[in-house]
Amino acid sequence: MATADAQPRCSFCGKGADEVHRLVVGVDAAICDDCVRLASDAVQEADTTEPGAPAPST
């Protein structure tokens, strides 16, 4: 179990706050800007490649 003074790390890639540009930290998880970008790209790609996928809202 992590200690209260441990440096926060991205829950997805494991990078520490000093290894990324921005780290969004919640109660039980954290995500870095790199993982946000990868996830966003994956969602956008899925929206354009999956047949019958709903159109993105504007």
Side-chain angles (χ1 to χ4, degrees):
M1 180 165 205
T3 60
D5 60 349
Q7 178 189 41
R9 297 192 160 277
C10 178
S11 302
F12 297 88
C13 69
K15 291 180 184 174
D18 61 342
E19 300 175 85
V20 297
H21 179 69
R22 182 160 290 142
L23 187 67
V24 178
V25 181
V27 175
D28 293 325
I31 189 166
C32 70
D33 55 313
D34 290 335
C35 288
V36 168
R37 191 174 301 107
L38 286 172
S40 177
D41 290 348
V43 169
Q44 287 178 348
E45 183 178 324
D47 284 345
T48 60
T49 60
E50 290 181 12
S57 60
T58 54

